[in-house]
Amino acid sequence: MKENIDRAIIASDVNERDGIGVEIYQNNKLIAEIFRDDTDKTRTIRVFKENISLELMEECIKTFKKEIPWEFIKYE
């Protein structure tokens, strides 16, 4: 059975961290967030579902790479 992403929401955050990310939803539930932090120069994944198949995680990462520019913002 192929698992699909229902939707992906692009969201920025400047409160606790500074960057942009993608929230991934399946069956109207948040299952993962992939975030690019421009201050720390990191990309992180937070998982909110107990078990995610490798195929679904690859689809999440593919969505992130498609929607979010790979380069960090350079601050002066």
Side-chain angles (χ1 to χ4, degrees):
M1 181 176 105
K2 180 172 170 57
E3 296 179 277
N4 292 318
I5 294 172
D6 289 344
R7 69 184 186 278
I9 297 176
I10 299 169
S12 64
D13 189 351
V14 294
N15 189 17
E16 295 180 20
R17 51 195 181 167
D18 188 8
I20 190 166
V22 177
E23 296 176 344
I24 307 293
Y25 290 83
Q26 184 182 54
N27 299 323
N28 291 319
K29 293 183 182 177
L30 178 62
I31 61 166
E33 174 200 61
I34 305 177
F35 190 78
R36 184 196 77 203
D37 190 312
D38 293 317
T39 302
D40 295 341
K41 305 285 189 262
T42 59
R43 294 174 197 88
T44 56
I45 298 173
R46 291 176 55 195
V47 179
F48 302 99
K49 182 179 174 184
E50 188 172 326
N51 294 306
I52 293 182
S53 69
L54 177 61
E55 292 80 12
L56 182 58
M57 185 54 67
E58 288 173 335
E59 187 175 347
C60 292
I61 293 168
K62 181 179 175 182
T63 301
F64 173 81
K65 288 182 174 182
K66 176 183 169 195
E67 299 294 336
I68 304 299
W70 194 250
E71 297 80 23
F72 295 107
I73 294 175
K74 296 177 183 172
Y75 295 106
E76 298 294 325

Coordinates of all heavy atoms in Angstrom, one line a residue:
M1 N 0.8 -1.2 0.0 CA 0.0 0.0 0.0 C 0.9 1.2 0.0 O 1.8 1.4 0.8 CB -0.9 0.0 1.3 CG -1.8 1.2 1.3 SD -2.9 1.0 2.7 CE -2.1 2.2 3.8
K2 N 0.6 2.1 -1.0 CA 1.4 3.4 -1.1 C 0.8 4.4 -0.2 O -0.4 4.7 -0.2 CB 1.4 3.9 -2.5 CG 2.2 5.1 -2.7 CD 2.4 5.4 -4.2 CE 2.9 6.8 -4.4 NZ 4.1 7.1 -3.8
E3 N 1.7 5.0 0.7 CA 1.2 6.1 1.6 C 1.5 7.4 0.8 O 2.5 7.6 0.2 CB 2.0 6.1 2.9 CG 1.8 4.8 3.7 CD 2.7 4.9 4.9 OE1 3.8 4.5 4.9 OE2 2.1 5.3 6.0
N4 N 0.5 8.3 0.9 CA 0.6 9.6 0.3 C 0.5 10.7 1.2 O -0.1 10.6 2.3 CB -0.5 9.7 -0.8 CG -0.4 8.8 -1.9 OD1 0.7 8.6 -2.4 ND2 -1.4 8.2 -2.4
I5 N 1.1 11.8 0.8 CA 1.0 13.1 1.6 C -0.3 13.7 1.1 O -0.6 13.9 -0.1 CB 2.2 14.0 1.2 CG1 3.5 13.3 1.8 CG2 2.0 15.4 1.8 CD1 4.7 14.1 1.4
D6 N -1.1 14.1 2.1 CA -2.4 14.9 1.8 C -2.0 16.3 1.3 O -2.5 16.8 0.3 CB -3.3 15.0 3.0 CG -3.9 13.7 3.4 OD1 -3.9 12.8 2.6 OD2 -4.4 13.6 4.5
R7 N -1.2 16.9 2.1 CA -0.8 18.3 1.8 C 0.5 18.7 2.5 O 0.8 18.1 3.5 CB -1.9 19.3 2.1 CG -2.2 19.5 3.6 CD -3.4 20.4 3.8 NE -3.6 20.7 5.2 CZ -4.2 19.9 6.1 NH1 -4.7 18.8 5.7 NH2 -4.3 20.3 7.4
A8 N 1.1 19.7 1.9 CA 2.3 20.3 2.5 C 2.1 21.8 2.7 O 1.7 22.4 1.7 CB 3.5 20.0 1.7
I9 N 2.3 22.3 3.9 CA 2.2 23.7 4.1 C 3.5 24.3 4.4 O 4.3 23.8 5.2 CB 1.3 23.9 5.4 CG1 -0.1 23.4 5.1 CG2 1.2 25.4 5.7 CD1 -1.1 23.5 6.3
I10 N 3.8 25.4 3.6 CA 5.1 26.1 3.8 C 4.9 27.1 4.9 O 3.9 27.9 4.8 CB 5.5 26.7 2.5 CG1 5.7 25.6 1.4 CG2 6.8 27.6 2.6 CD1 5.9 26.2 0.0
A11 N 5.8 27.1 5.8 CA 5.7 28.1 6.9 C 7.0 28.6 7.4 O 8.0 27.8 7.4 CB 5.0 27.4 8.1
S12 N 7.0 29.9 7.7 CA 8.3 30.5 8.2 C 8.1 30.6 9.7 O 7.0 30.6 10.3 CB 8.6 31.8 7.6 OG 7.5 32.7 7.9
D13 N 9.3 30.7 10.4 CA 9.3 30.9 11.8 C 10.4 31.8 12.2 O 11.5 31.7 11.7 CB 9.5 29.5 12.5 CG 9.4 29.6 14.0 OD1 9.2 30.7 14.6 OD2 9.4 28.5 14.6
V14 N 10.1 32.9 12.9 CA 11.2 33.8 13.4 C 11.1 34.0 14.9 O 11.8 34.9 15.4 CB 11.0 35.2 12.6 CG1 11.3 35.0 11.2 CG2 9.7 35.8 12.8
N15 N 10.4 33.2 15.6 CA 10.2 33.4 17.0 C 11.3 32.7 17.8 O 12.3 33.3 18.3 CB 8.8 32.9 17.5 CG 8.5 33.3 18.9 OD1 9.2 34.1 19.5 ND2 7.6 32.6 19.5
E16 N 11.3 31.3 17.8 CA 12.3 30.6 18.5 C 13.5 30.2 17.6 O 14.6 29.9 18.0 CB 11.7 29.3 19.1 CG 10.7 29.6 20.2 CD 10.1 28.3 20.7 OE1 10.7 27.2 20.6 OE2 9.0 28.4 21.3
R17 N 13.2 30.2 16.3 CA 14.2 29.9 15.3 C 14.0 30.8 14.1 O 13.0 31.5 14.1 CB 14.2 28.4 14.9 CG 12.8 28.0 14.6 CD 12.6 26.5 14.5 NE 11.2 26.2 14.1 CZ 10.8 25.1 13.8 NH1 11.6 24.1 13.7 NH2 9.5 24.9 13.4
D18 N 14.9 30.9 13.2 CA 14.8 31.8 12.1 C 15.0 31.0 10.8 O 16.1 30.7 10.4 CB 15.8 32.9 12.2 CG 15.6 34.0 11.2 OD1 14.6 34.0 10.4 OD2 16.5 34.9 11.1
G19 N 13.9 30.8 10.1 CA 14.0 30.1 8.8 C 12.6 29.7 8.2 O 11.6 30.4 8.5
I20 N 12.6 28.7 7.4 CA 11.4 28.3 6.7 C 11.4 26.8 6.6 O 12.4 26.1 6.6 CB 11.4 29.0 5.3 CG1 10.0 28.8 4.6 CG2 12.5 28.5 4.4 CD1 9.8 29.6 3.4
G21 N 10.1 26.3 6.5 CA 10.0 24.8 6.5 C 8.8 24.4 5.8 O 7.9 25.2 5.4
V22 N 8.6 23.0 5.8 CA 7.4 22.4 5.3 C 6.8 21.5 6.3 O 7.5 20.7 6.9 CB 7.7 21.6 4.0 CG1 6.5 20.9 3.5 CG2 8.3 22.5 2.9
E23 N 5.5 21.7 6.6 CA 4.7 20.8 7.4 C 4.0 19.8 6.5 O 3.4 20.2 5.6 CB 3.7 21.6 8.3 CG 4.3 22.6 9.2 CD 3.2 23.4 10.0 OE1 2.1 23.4 9.5 OE2 3.6 24.0 11.0
I24 N 4.2 18.5 6.8 CA 3.6 17.5 6.0 C 2.4 16.8 6.7 O 2.5 16.4 7.9 CB 4.7 16.4 5.7 CG1 5.9 17.0 5.2 CG2 4.1 15.3 4.9 CD1 5.8 17.6 3.8
Y25 N 1.3 16.8 6.0 CA 0.1 16.2 6.6 C -0.4 14.9 5.9 O -0.2 14.9 4.6 CB -1.1 17.2 6.5 CG -0.9 18.4 7.5 CD1 -0.1 19.5 7.1 CD2 -1.5 18.4 8.7 CE1 0.1 20.5 8.0 CE2 -1.3 19.5 9.6 CZ -0.5 20.5 9.2 OH -0.3 21.5 10.1
Q26 N -0.9 14.0 6.6 CA -1.5 12.8 6.1 C -2.7 12.5 6.9 O -2.7 12.5 8.1 CB -0.5 11.6 6.2 CG -0.9 10.3 5.6 CD 0.1 9.2 5.8 OE1 0.4 8.9 6.9 NE2 0.5 8.6 4.7
N27 N -3.8 12.2 6.2 CA -5.1 12.1 6.8 C -5.5 13.2 7.8 O -6.0 13.0 8.9 CB -5.2 10.7 7.6 CG -5.0 9.5 6.6 OD1 -5.4 9.5 5.5 ND2 -4.2 8.6 7.1
N28 N -5.1 14.4 7.3 CA -5.4 15.6 8.1 C -4.7 15.7 9.4 O -5.1 16.5 10.3 CB -6.9 15.9 8.3 CG -7.6 16.2 7.0 OD1 -7.0 17.0 6.1 ND2 -8.7 15.6 6.7
K29 N -3.6 15.0 9.6 CA -2.8 15.0 10.8 C -1.4 15.4 10.4 O -0.8 14.8 9.5 CB -2.8 13.7 11.5 CG -4.2 13.3 12.1 CD -4.1 12.0 12.8 CE -5.5 11.7 13.3 NZ -5.6 10.4 14.0
L30 N -0.7 16.2 11.2 CA 0.6 16.6 11.0 C 1.5 15.4 11.3 O 1.5 14.9 12.4 CB 1.0 17.8 12.0 CG 2.5 18.3 11.9 CD1 2.8 18.8 10.5 CD2 2.7 19.3 13.0
I31 N 2.3 15.0 10.4 CA 3.1 13.8 10.6 C 4.6 14.1 10.6 O 5.4 13.4 11.3 CB 2.9 12.7 9.5 CG1 3.2 13.2 8.1 CG2 1.5 12.2 9.6 CD1 3.4 12.1 7.1
A32 N 5.0 15.2 10.0 CA 6.4 15.6 10.0 C 6.6 17.1 9.6 O 5.8 17.7 9.0 CB 7.2 14.7 9.0
E33 N 7.7 17.6 10.1 CA 8.1 19.0 9.7 C 9.6 18.9 9.3 O 10.4 18.3 10.0 CB 8.0 19.9 10.9 CG 8.5 21.3 10.6 CD 8.8 22.1 11.8 OE1 9.7 21.7 12.6 OE2 8.2 23.2 11.9
I34 N 9.9 19.5 8.2 CA 11.3 19.7 7.8 C 11.6 21.1 7.7 O 10.8 21.9 7.1 CB 11.6 19.0 6.4 CG1 11.2 17.5 6.4 CG2 13.1 19.1 6.0 CD1 11.3 16.8 5.1
F35 N 12.6 21.6 8.4 CA 12.9 23.0 8.6 C 14.3 23.4 8.3 O 15.3 22.7 8.7 CB 12.6 23.3 10.1 CG 12.6 24.8 10.4 CD1 11.5 25.6 10.0 CD2 13.7 25.4 11.0 CE1 11.5 27.0 10.3 CE2 13.7 26.8 11.2 CZ 12.5 27.5 10.9
R36 N 14.4 24.5 7.6 CA 15.8 25.1 7.3 C 15.9 26.3 8.2 O 15.2 27.3 8.1 CB 15.8 25.5 5.8 CG 17.2 26.1 5.4 CD 17.2 26.8 4.1 NE 16.6 28.2 4.4 CZ 16.0 28.9 3.5 NH1 15.9 28.5 2.2 NH2 15.6 30.1 3.8
D37 N 16.9 26.2 9.1 CA 17.2 27.3 10.1 C 18.3 28.1 9.5 O 19.5 27.6 9.4 CB 17.5 26.7 11.4 CG 17.6 27.8 12.5 OD1 18.2 28.9 12.2 OD2 17.0 27.6 13.6
D38 N 18.1 29.4 9.1 CA 19.1 30.2 8.5 C 20.1 30.7 9.5 O 21.2 31.1 9.1 CB 18.4 31.4 7.7 CG 17.6 30.8 6.6 OD1 18.1 30.0 5.8 OD2 16.5 31.3 6.4
T39 N 19.8 30.8 10.7 CA 20.7 31.3 11.8 C 21.7 30.2 12.1 O 22.9 30.4 12.1 CB 20.0 31.8 13.0 OG1 19.1 32.8 12.7 CG2 21.0 32.3 14.1
D40 N 21.2 29.0 12.4 CA 22.1 27.9 12.7 C 22.7 27.2 11.5 O 23.6 26.3 11.7 CB 21.3 26.9 13.5 CG 20.9 27.4 14.9 OD1 21.4 28.4 15.3 OD2 19.9 26.8 15.5
K41 N 22.2 27.5 10.3 CA 22.6 26.8 9.1 C 22.4 25.3 9.2 O 23.3 24.5 8.9 CB 24.1 27.1 8.8 CG 24.5 28.6 8.7 CD 24.0 29.2 7.4 CE 24.5 30.6 7.3 NZ 23.5 31.7 7.6
T42 N 21.2 24.9 9.6 CA 20.9 23.5 9.7 C 19.6 23.2 9.0 O 18.7 24.1 8.8 CB 20.7 23.1 11.2 OG1 19.7 23.9 11.8 CG2 22.0 23.2 12.0
R43 N 19.4 22.0 8.7 CA 18.1 21.4 8.2 C 17.7 20.3 9.1 O 18.5 19.4 9.2 CB 18.2 21.0 6.7 CG 18.5 22.2 5.8 CD 18.8 21.7 4.3 NE 19.4 22.7 3.6 CZ 20.7 22.9 3.5 NH1 21.6 22.1 4.1 NH2 21.2 23.9 2.8
T44 N 16.5 20.3 9.6 CA 16.1 19.3 10.6 C 14.8 18.7 10.2 O 13.9 19.3 9.6 CB 16.1 19.8 12.0 OG1 15.2 20.9 12.1 CG2 17.5 20.3 12.5
I45 N 14.6 17.5 10.7 CA 13.3 16.8 10.5 C 12.7 16.5 11.9 O 13.4 15.9 12.8 CB 13.4 15.5 9.7 CG1 14.0 15.7 8.3 CG2 12.1 14.7 9.7 CD1 14.3 14.5 7.6
R46 N 11.5 16.9 12.1 CA 10.7 16.5 13.3 C 9.6 15.6 12.9 O 8.9 15.9 11.9 CB 10.2 17.7 14.0 CG 11.2 18.6 14.6 CD 10.7 19.9 15.2 NE 9.6 19.6 16.2 CZ 8.8 20.5 16.7 NH1 8.8 21.7 16.3 NH2 7.8 20.2 17.6
V47 N 9.5 14.4 13.6 CA 8.5 13.4 13.2 C 7.4 13.4 14.3 O 7.7 13.3 15.5 CB 9.1 12.0 13.0 CG1 8.1 11.0 12.7 CG2 10.2 12.1 11.9
F48 N 6.1 13.5 13.9 CA 5.0 13.5 14.8 C 4.2 12.2 14.8 O 3.3 12.1 15.5 CB 4.1 14.7 14.6 CG 4.9 16.0 14.7 CD1 5.3 16.6 13.5 CD2 5.1 16.6 15.9 CE1 6.0 17.8 13.6 CE2 5.8 17.8 16.0 CZ 6.3 18.4 14.8
K49 N 4.6 11.3 13.9 CA 3.9 10.0 13.8 C 4.8 8.9 14.2 O 6.0 9.0 13.9 CB 3.5 9.8 12.3 CG 2.7 8.5 12.0 CD 2.4 8.4 10.5 CE 1.8 7.1 10.3 NZ 1.5 6.9 8.8
E50 N 4.3 7.9 14.9 CA 5.2 6.9 15.5 C 6.0 6.2 14.5 O 7.2 6.0 14.6 CB 4.4 5.9 16.4 CG 5.2 5.0 17.1 CD 4.4 4.2 18.1 OE1 3.4 4.7 18.7 OE2 4.8 3.0 18.3
N51 N 5.4 5.7 13.4 CA 6.1 5.0 12.4 C 5.8 5.6 11.0 O 4.7 5.7 10.6 CB 5.6 3.5 12.4 CG 6.0 2.8 13.6 OD1 7.1 2.7 14.0 ND2 5.0 2.2 14.3
I52 N 6.9 5.9 10.4 CA 6.8 6.5 9.0 C 7.7 5.6 8.1 O 8.8 5.3 8.4 CB 7.3 7.9 8.9 CG1 6.3 8.8 9.7 CG2 7.4 8.4 7.5 CD1 6.7 10.3 9.6
S53 N 7.1 5.1 7.0 CA 7.8 4.2 6.1 C 8.9 5.0 5.4 O 8.9 6.3 5.3 CB 6.9 3.6 5.0 OG 6.5 4.7 4.2
L54 N 10.0 4.3 5.0 CA 11.0 5.0 4.3 C 10.5 5.7 3.0 O 10.9 6.8 2.7 CB 12.1 3.9 3.9 CG 13.3 4.5 3.1 CD1 14.0 5.6 3.8 CD2 14.2 3.3 2.7
E55 N 9.6 5.1 2.3 CA 9.0 5.7 1.1 C 8.3 7.0 1.4 O 8.5 7.9 0.7 CB 8.1 4.7 0.4 CG 8.8 3.5 -0.2 CD 9.1 2.4 0.9 OE1 8.6 2.4 2.0 OE2 9.9 1.5 0.5
L56 N 7.6 7.0 2.5 CA 6.9 8.2 2.9 C 7.9 9.3 3.3 O 7.7 10.5 2.9 CB 5.9 8.0 4.0 CG 5.0 9.2 4.5 CD1 4.3 9.8 3.3 CD2 4.1 8.8 5.6
M57 N 8.9 9.0 4.1 CA 9.9 9.9 4.5 C 10.7 10.5 3.2 O 10.9 11.7 3.2 CB 10.9 9.3 5.5 CG 11.9 10.3 6.0 SD 11.2 11.8 6.7 CE 10.4 11.1 8.2
E58 N 10.9 9.6 2.3 CA 11.6 10.1 1.0 C 10.7 11.1 0.3 O 11.1 12.1 -0.3 CB 11.9 8.9 0.1 CG 13.1 8.1 0.7 CD 13.4 6.8 -0.1 OE1 12.4 6.3 -0.8 OE2 14.5 6.3 -0.1
E59 N 9.4 10.8 0.3 CA 8.4 11.7 -0.3 C 8.4 13.1 0.4 O 8.3 14.1 -0.2 CB 7.0 11.1 -0.3 CG 6.0 11.9 -1.1 CD 4.7 11.2 -1.2 OE1 4.5 10.1 -0.9 OE2 3.7 12.0 -1.7
C60 N 8.5 13.0 1.8 CA 8.5 14.3 2.5 C 9.8 15.1 2.2 O 9.7 16.3 2.0 CB 8.6 14.0 4.0 SG 7.0 13.2 4.7
I61 N 10.9 14.4 2.1 CA 12.2 15.1 1.8 C 12.1 15.7 0.4 O 12.6 16.8 0.1 CB 13.4 14.2 2.0 CG1 13.5 13.9 3.5 CG2 14.7 14.8 1.4 CD1 14.5 12.7 3.8
K62 N 11.6 14.9 -0.6 CA 11.4 15.4 -2.0 C 10.6 16.6 -2.0 O 10.9 17.6 -2.7 CB 10.8 14.3 -2.8 CG 10.6 14.6 -4.2 CD 10.0 13.4 -5.0 CE 9.7 13.8 -6.4 NZ 9.1 12.6 -7.1
T63 N 9.5 16.7 -1.2 CA 8.6 17.8 -1.2 C 9.4 19.0 -0.6 O 9.3 20.1 -1.1 CB 7.4 17.5 -0.3 OG1 6.7 16.4 -0.9 CG2 6.5 18.7 -0.2
F64 N 10.1 18.8 0.5 CA 10.9 19.9 1.0 C 11.9 20.5 0.0 O 12.0 21.7 -0.2 CB 11.7 19.4 2.3 CG 12.7 20.4 2.8 CD1 12.3 21.4 3.7 CD2 14.0 20.3 2.5 CE1 13.1 22.3 4.2 CE2 14.9 21.2 3.0 CZ 14.5 22.2 3.9
K65 N 12.6 19.6 -0.7 CA 13.6 20.1 -1.7 C 13.0 20.8 -2.8 O 13.6 21.7 -3.4 CB 14.4 18.9 -2.2 CG 15.4 18.4 -1.1 CD 16.2 17.2 -1.7 CE 17.3 16.8 -0.7 NZ 18.1 15.7 -1.3
K66 N 11.7 20.4 -3.2 CA 11.0 21.1 -4.3 C 10.5 22.5 -3.9 O 10.6 23.4 -4.6 CB 9.8 20.2 -4.7 CG 9.0 20.8 -5.7 CD 7.8 19.9 -6.0 CE 6.8 20.7 -6.9 NZ 5.5 20.0 -6.9
E67 N 10.1 22.6 -2.6 CA 9.4 23.8 -2.2 C 10.3 24.8 -1.5 O 10.0 26.0 -1.5 CB 8.2 23.5 -1.2 CG 7.2 22.6 -1.8 CD 6.4 23.2 -3.0 OE1 6.3 24.5 -3.0 OE2 5.8 22.5 -3.8
I68 N 11.4 24.4 -0.9 CA 12.2 25.3 -0.1 C 13.6 25.5 -0.8 O 14.2 24.5 -1.0 CB 12.4 24.8 1.4 CG1 11.0 24.5 2.0 CG2 13.2 25.7 2.2 CD1 10.1 25.7 2.2
P69 N 14.0 26.7 -1.0 CA 15.3 26.9 -1.5 C 16.4 26.3 -0.6 O 16.3 26.3 0.6 CB 15.5 28.5 -1.6 CG 14.1 29.0 -1.5 CD 13.3 28.0 -0.8
W70 N 17.4 25.6 -1.3 CA 18.4 24.9 -0.5 C 19.4 25.8 0.2 O 19.9 25.5 1.2 CB 19.1 23.9 -1.5 CG 19.9 22.9 -0.8 CD1 21.3 22.8 -0.7 CD2 19.5 21.8 0.0 NE1 21.7 21.8 0.0 CE2 20.6 21.1 0.5 CE3 18.2 21.4 0.4 CZ2 20.5 20.0 1.3 CZ3 18.1 20.2 1.2 CH2 19.3 19.6 1.6
E71 N 19.7 27.0 -0.4 CA 20.7 27.9 0.1 C 20.1 28.6 1.4 O 19.0 29.0 1.4 CB 21.1 28.9 -0.9 CG 21.7 28.4 -2.1 CD 20.7 27.8 -3.1 OE1 19.5 28.2 -3.1 OE2 21.1 26.9 -3.9
F72 N 21.0 28.7 2.4 CA 20.7 29.5 3.6 C 20.7 31.0 3.2 O 21.4 31.4 2.4 CB 21.7 29.2 4.7 CG 21.6 27.8 5.2 CD1 22.6 26.9 4.8 CD2 20.6 27.4 6.0 CE1 22.6 25.6 5.3 CE2 20.6 26.0 6.4 CZ 21.6 25.2 6.1
I73 N 19.9 31.8 3.9 CA 20.0 33.2 3.8 C 21.2 33.7 4.5 O 21.5 33.3 5.6 CB 18.7 33.9 4.4 CG1 17.5 33.5 3.6 CG2 18.9 35.4 4.5 CD1 16.2 34.0 4.3
K74 N 21.9 34.6 3.8 CA 23.2 35.1 4.4 C 22.9 36.4 5.1 O 22.4 37.4 4.5 CB 24.2 35.3 3.3 CG 24.7 34.0 2.7 CD 25.6 34.2 1.6 CE 26.0 32.9 0.9 NZ 26.8 33.1 -0.3
Y75 N 23.2 36.5 6.4 CA 23.0 37.7 7.1 C 24.3 38.5 7.2 O 25.3 38.0 7.4 CB 22.5 37.4 8.6 CG 21.1 36.7 8.6 CD1 21.0 35.4 8.9 CD2 20.0 37.5 8.3 CE1 19.8 34.8 8.9 CE2 18.7 36.9 8.4 CZ 18.6 35.5 8.7 OH 17.4 34.9 8.7
E76 N 24.1 39.8 7.1 CA 25.3 40.7 7.1 C 25.7 41.0 8.5 O 24.9 41.1 9.4 CB 25.1 42.0 6.3 CG 24.8 41.7 4.9 CD 26.0 41.2 4.1 OE1 27.1 41.5 4.4 OE2 25.8 40.3 3.2

